[in-house]
Amino acid sequence: MNLNFIKETNNFKKKINFSFLFVIVCFTSCSNNDKNSHKKMIDILSQKEVDIDPETNFYANKQRLSWLQKEDNYKNISQKFQHQAIIANEMLNAGFTKQAAELFNELLFQIDSLKIFPPKDFIIGIKDMLAITYLRMGEETNCIDGNNSESCIIPLRNNGIHRNKFGAQNAIKIYKKLLTEDPSDYVYRWLLNIAYMAKGEYPGKVPNKWLISQLIPSDTIQFPEFKEIASKLNIDQIGLAGGSILEDFDNDHDLDLIVSSWGASDQIHYFENIGKGNFQKKTQESNLKGITGGLNMVHADYNNDNYPDIFVLRGGWFGDSGNIPNSLLKNNGDGTFTDVTIIANIFSQYPTQTASWGDYNNDGWIDLFIGNESSNKSMNQSELYHNNGDGTFTEISKNLGLNISGFIKGAVWGDINNDGNLDLYISRLGQINLLFVNEGKEKSWKFKERSANAGVQEPINSFPAWFFDFNNDGWQDIWVSGYDNSSGHVAKDYLGIKHKGESPRLYQNNQDGTFTDVTSLSNLNHPLLSMGSNYGDLNNDGFLDFYVGTGDPDYRSLQPNRMFLNINGEFFQDVTFHGRFGHIQKGHGVSFGDIDEDGDQDIHAVMGGAYQGSIYQNALFNNPGNWDSEWIGVKLKGNTSNKLGIGARISVETTDGQKIYRTISSGGSFGGNPFREFIGLGKNKNVSKIIIEWPSGNTQTESGLSTGKWHIIKEIKN
């Protein structure tokens, strides 16, 4: 149930934001050789935290709570109750769960004792919020405190069952009463089943009329369990929604980890892999102290020095309060990073959470597209920063026809027509999605929007997206999520009941500039409510699988994150419950990579939500291996092309004639895979040859490469 009574309807006078003047003064005083750019960004970020306006920023929950508690100008008892309900809800959002439960209970007591009869929906709304408050209380006392490898992974079992059952028990009582009044509410039904799981009484004690029995893995699918081991590796960083990047930042071959959390004061953290998946936190030593926030991060080697750099994205979802600058973090090659945003001429402050690196003109220098968020008040155009090759950038989106507006949630580069030029796909919330085809050098590097002709405009409400070749035919396909969903849609989907939830779209490339929607044929027509997601090859069979982080800010959105296994490029099999991937905390940044160098890909996921109280530990799902499959690893080093070979196409031919295609990228639009390609080969396969088509236009063939090893391939000019 959507509780409109929780939302304020008053129009507030917008406060003057003095931080803008601060930024302008800073910006104009900074030259290209300003050595203090790092400190200046830290100062700007600190000031932005001070300038948060609780009246307009609905995610600054602690500040909003303080502001709301000062407001007491209600005219009657009804307004008082409504205001108290709003305060209680803000307590929950701010993480003061016990106090929220006490206030919701007090409201119900007062209404009953005073014999006041507010609207029925108001009473139901209070009970609804009290129930989820109890359920969240159970998560805090059992899953956050005392977190273990099975916490919050459904179906809950063993150590995942709550030790302290107070929260789950009270939630059950309320949901049973609510369902008695409204048996058709599938959100209540879904959460009732989750509460019984938390108590250790699913499915046996769930009333049959409300049971969702499909949350137990079937015996028809054989798939091994992945163990969640983030705490064992000391990378179980607690935080909110944010980005995840697995990459070899120090060039020692081991994959390091960088994570962010979107709170204004939330520190970005760097974990150095010291060998075989053993990590040490090096946040302080890496010079990242004070670099805060970041709903997402994307990485590349922008200056071609062989060390991957990081771009941090801020302000997404904040609307008019989202004028927070992004950050370009230069990798110094000595274990430290420096914020060079200002001196690189890439400083901007629009709300965004998505960007993508790609060399649109194949000049050997990686460029950056930023998809900004617009609102009714502010039409914030997207930006394309052309890499000048000297450490600076020039914004040229208008020149190329990419100065678009919209509530952009995903942006990815790919090559839909195999012409060697990168095209751009844009996912938007509440509008059609866009496909910009690169017309090449002959047209002075212009882009033409062709989403309608290509048939890739849906879903209207979408989030992350990516290009990948799911069927290994040598042509890149498109996956884009659906975001118009709820826990009720998920419940109906598991029960096989028709629902109005939005499914993602899998668009198969027809090799003629058009695509065919194969979502249903591929068994992907399910409501996923995707936030973060990415892809990799779990079983080394050569076909790309993917993991979807689910949920929205609402605490009631306790949906399992989903794993889909690619079956020979023909369809996808849901192995969420079989592989123990069904984490019900909010999933955001997702990264695939072999962190322990054992010949299979593991999965890292940021699990926090949007509200300040919606914190949770990040997760690492360890691949159990034993796939009886071969693999080969390829790391490219560009010469004429950009150093990481981003955008290069790889064709691997096995000795039995099978071909496997990959494109060098970081994966999806939320989360960063390493820019080295882990390629599964299937059973009993050896490599005949590898063909690399470089972004520069060079093509080279490599043979005699052994499997089960990583190979560095340097670009050779034709």
Side-chain angles (χ1 to χ4, degrees):
M1 173 180 292
N2 184 18
L3 301 180
N4 291 324
F5 76 93
I6 294 294
K7 300 178 181 179
E8 298 88 341
T9 58
N10 296 327
N11 293 319
F12 299 101
K13 185 178 181 180
K14 191 173 182 179
K15 296 179 178 179
I16 298 174
N17 192 339
F18 292 99
S19 67
F20 180 75
L21 296 176
F22 175 86
V23 170
I24 293 298
V25 171
C26 171
F27 187 79
T28 55
S29 67
C30 297
S31 65
N32 282 348
N33 54 6
D34 192 340
K35 298 180 180 181
N36 296 316
S37 63
H38 187 86
K39 183 180 183 302
K40 289 180 182 294
M41 179 58 74
I42 291 175
D43 291 341
I44 292 170
L45 295 175
S46 298
Q47 187 63 36
K48 286 293 182 181
E49 183 182 0
V50 173
D51 291 338
I52 289 175
D53 186 353
E55 295 185 11
T56 60
N57 191 330
F58 288 87
Y59 297 102
N61 307 112
K62 293 178 181 178
Q63 295 93 327
R64 284 181 61 78
L65 178 60
S66 179
W67 165 67
L68 286 166
Q69 289 174 328
K70 296 176 183 177
E71 299 290 319
D72 59 358
N73 55 344
Y74 35 80
K75 297 179 180 180
N76 51 53
I77 192 68
S78 179
Q79 287 188 2
K80 178 181 178 180
F81 284 164
Q82 182 170 332
H83 187 71
Q84 290 297 302
I86 292 171
I87 289 176
N89 184 73
E90 207 63 57
M91 286 177 174
L92 172 62
N93 292 341
F96 302 119
T97 314
K98 182 180 178 182
Q99 295 92 323
E102 291 173 350
L103 185 51
F104 280 131
N105 274 310
E106 177 65 21
L107 276 169
L108 291 173
F109 175 79
Q110 290 185 34
I111 291 170
D112 185 64
S113 62
L114 295 175
K115 306 299 181 183
I116 295 174
F117 303 100
K120 184 178 179 181
D121 284 350
F122 182 81
I123 303 294
I124 292 174
I126 295 292
K127 293 178 179 178
D128 181 12
M129 293 308 302
L130 178 59
I132 197 61
T133 300
Y134 278 128
L135 206 52
R136 178 60 182 175
M137 188 183 300
E139 292 173 350
E140 291 176 344
T141 56
N142 294 276
C143 305
I144 298 177
D145 299 338
N147 180 264
N148 62 75
S149 63
E150 294 194 292
S151 295
C152 277
I153 297 175
I154 64 170
L156 298 174
R157 68 182 191 187
N158 303 328
N159 291 330
I161 295 171
H162 291 187
R163 302 171 301 280
N164 184 337
K165 305 181 189 305
F166 175 82
Q169 181 59 54
N170 280 278
I172 288 171
K173 290 178 181 178
I174 298 172
Y175 285 129
K176 288 171 73 173
K177 291 179 180 178
L178 290 171
L179 282 166
T180 300
E181 295 180 22
D182 185 5
S184 65
D185 194 307
Y186 283 86
V187 174
Y188 299 154
R189 186 168 175 176
W190 173 264
L191 294 172
L192 177 71
N193 280 261
I194 299 298
Y196 270 109
M197 275 191 191
K199 199 180 175 193
E201 296 179 347
Y202 174 92
K205 294 291 184 67
V206 183
N208 191 61
K209 59 184 176 181
W210 297 322
L211 176 64
I212 304 174
S213 62
Q214 292 81 358
L215 305 183
I216 300 175
S218 68
D219 296 330
T220 58
I221 298 175
Q222 300 298 315
F223 192 81
E225 294 184 358
F226 283 53
K227 192 172 183 178
E228 201 286 288
I229 61 168
S231 61
K232 181 181 178 181
L233 302 180
N234 296 315
I235 56 174
D236 55 335
Q237 183 65 48
I238 195 165
L240 302 173
S244 165
I245 298 176
L246 281 172
E247 183 58 89
D248 181 13
F249 286 103
D250 53 5
N251 283 346
D252 65 353
H253 191 71
D254 298 314
L255 292 179
D256 311 301
L257 173 66
I258 288 186
V259 297
S260 66
S261 175
W262 86 322
S265 60
D266 292 353
Q267 177 64 52
I268 289 176
H269 291 285
Y270 176 51
F271 298 89
E272 181 187 354
N273 191 332
I274 58 175
K276 301 297 182 180
N278 297 300
F279 291 87
Q280 286 185 351
K281 184 182 282 191
K282 291 292 187 70
T283 302
Q284 184 76 39
E285 296 88 337
S286 63
N287 196 38
L288 289 173
K289 196 70 175 178
I291 303 297
T292 57
L295 190 52
N296 193 17
M297 300 180 293
V298 291
H299 69 299
D301 183 4
Y302 82 93
N303 55 359
N304 284 339
D305 66 351
N306 287 309
Y307 287 95
D309 315 292
I310 304 166
F311 191 68
V312 183
L313 296 151
R314 302 186 178 98
W317 293 111
F318 284 171
D320 294 334
S321 299
N323 59 333
I324 307 171
N326 305 316
S327 280
L328 177 60
L329 304 178
K330 176 186 173 183
N331 188 337
N332 299 315
D334 59 0
T336 67
F337 295 83
T338 299
D339 194 306
V340 295
T341 311
I342 297 172
I343 61 176
N345 195 35
I346 204 168
F347 184 98
S348 67
Q349 48 179 359
Y350 302 108
T352 184
Q353 63 178 46
T354 188
S356 187
W357 294 96
D359 187 1
Y360 77 90
N361 62 349
N362 297 328
D363 66 350
W365 296 91
I366 208 75
D367 312 295
L368 179 66
F369 177 86
I370 304 175
N372 294 314
E373 297 176 359
S374 295
S375 66
N376 293 331
K377 294 182 180 179
S378 302
M379 298 303 292
N380 302 318
Q381 294 182 343
S382 296
E383 302 160 284
L384 178 63
Y385 284 94
H386 171 80
N387 194 326
N388 299 322
D390 60 0
T392 68
F393 294 80
T394 301
E395 207 288 304
I396 60 167
S397 60
K398 185 177 181 180
N399 298 343
L400 274 66
L402 294 177
N403 57 326
I404 58 172
S405 299
F407 204 71
I408 299 176
K409 306 311 293 178
V412 283
W413 295 102
D415 184 1
I416 70 163
N417 49 14
N418 287 350
D419 65 352
N421 299 321
L422 288 179
D423 312 301
L424 183 66
Y425 187 74
I426 306 293
S427 168
R428 301 192 294 181
L429 197 67
Q431 295 173 279
I432 60 170
N433 300 322
L434 304 173
L435 175 63
F436 290 92
V437 177
N438 191 335
E439 297 188 310
K441 187 176 182 180
E442 292 74 16
K443 296 290 184 69
S444 301
W445 302 108
K446 294 285 187 179
F447 287 80
K448 189 169 183 177
E449 207 287 301
R450 293 188 177 273
S451 61
N453 292 337
V456 294
Q457 293 186 322
E458 295 183 339
I460 300 300
N461 289 295
S462 59
F463 212 110
W466 61 66
F467 286 96
F468 74 153
D469 185 1
F470 81 92
N471 56 358
N472 268 332
D473 65 354
W475 294 78
Q476 286 194 296
D477 313 294
I478 296 174
W479 184 92
V480 56
S481 75
Y483 195 71
D484 186 12
N485 290 298
S486 72
S487 296
H489 296 143
V490 174
K492 287 183 177 181
D493 188 61
Y494 276 114
L495 290 165
I497 300 173
K498 188 177 180 179
H499 58 84
K500 296 182 179 180
E502 183 67 84
S503 70
R505 298 292 190 276
L506 178 62
Y507 293 114
Q508 182 175 310
N509 196 324
N510 296 327
Q511 306 178 16
D512 61 0
T514 69
F515 293 77
T516 297
D517 186 344
V518 295
T519 308
S520 295
L521 292 174
S522 302
N523 190 35
L524 293 175
N525 55 328
H526 304 287
L528 301 181
L529 198 61
S530 314
M531 296 179 69
S533 53
N534 216 327
Y535 60 83
D537 185 358
L538 291 182
N539 55 356
N540 295 354
D541 67 347
F543 291 94
L544 293 171
D545 320 299
F546 64 91
Y547 185 65
V548 177
T550 64
D552 64 6
D554 195 327
Y555 281 103
R556 291 166 297 183
S557 186
L558 289 175
Q559 306 171 33
N561 296 286
R562 307 280 284 273
M563 176 62 74
F564 291 92
L565 185 71
N566 190 333
I567 308 300
N568 300 319
E570 299 172 0
F571 66 95
F572 288 83
Q573 191 173 70
D574 190 336
V575 295
T576 300
F577 298 147
H578 300 81
R580 300 291 293 162
F581 298 108
H583 211 299
I584 56 174
Q585 293 301 314
K586 317 299 185 183
H588 209 260
V590 176
S591 303
F592 283 72
D594 185 4
I595 66 157
D596 48 7
E597 295 293 318
D598 62 350
D600 49 52
Q601 289 187 298
D602 313 292
I603 304 166
H604 180 267
V606 174
M607 305 306 301
Y611 296 130
Q612 289 179 339
S614 191
I615 57 173
Y616 201 82
Q617 289 92 341
N618 297 337
L620 192 289
F621 297 96
N622 181 244
N623 196 319
N626 300 317
W627 298 109
D628 191 26
S629 299
E630 299 292 341
W631 65 276
I632 192 168
V634 175
K635 183 176 182 179
L636 301 185
K637 283 195 173 183
N639 184 353
T640 307
S641 304
N642 66 88
K643 277 292 187 282
L644 293 178
I646 297 172
R649 298 175 67 238
I650 299 175
S651 172
V652 179
E653 187 172 325
T654 62
T655 51
D656 66 353
Q658 181 185 0
K659 290 186 177 180
I660 301 166
Y661 299 92
R662 294 288 185 270
T663 300
I664 300 297
S665 77
S666 62
S669 52
F670 287 89
N673 295 343
F675 284 112
R676 64 185 194 190
E677 201 64 37
F678 183 100
I679 305 169
L681 303 171
K683 298 181 184 296
N684 304 315
K685 300 289 181 68
N686 290 307
V687 173
S688 173
K689 61 181 177 181
I690 294 180
I691 300 173
I692 298 112
E693 297 176 53
W694 295 89
S696 64
N698 293 326
T699 300
Q700 71 188 77
T701 301
E702 300 286 335
S703 57
L705 301 180
S706 56
T707 60
K709 294 182 179 179
W710 283 95
H711 303 271
I712 297 176
I713 300 178
K714 298 180 180 180
E715 181 180 11
I716 301 174
K717 294 182 180 180
N718 292 343

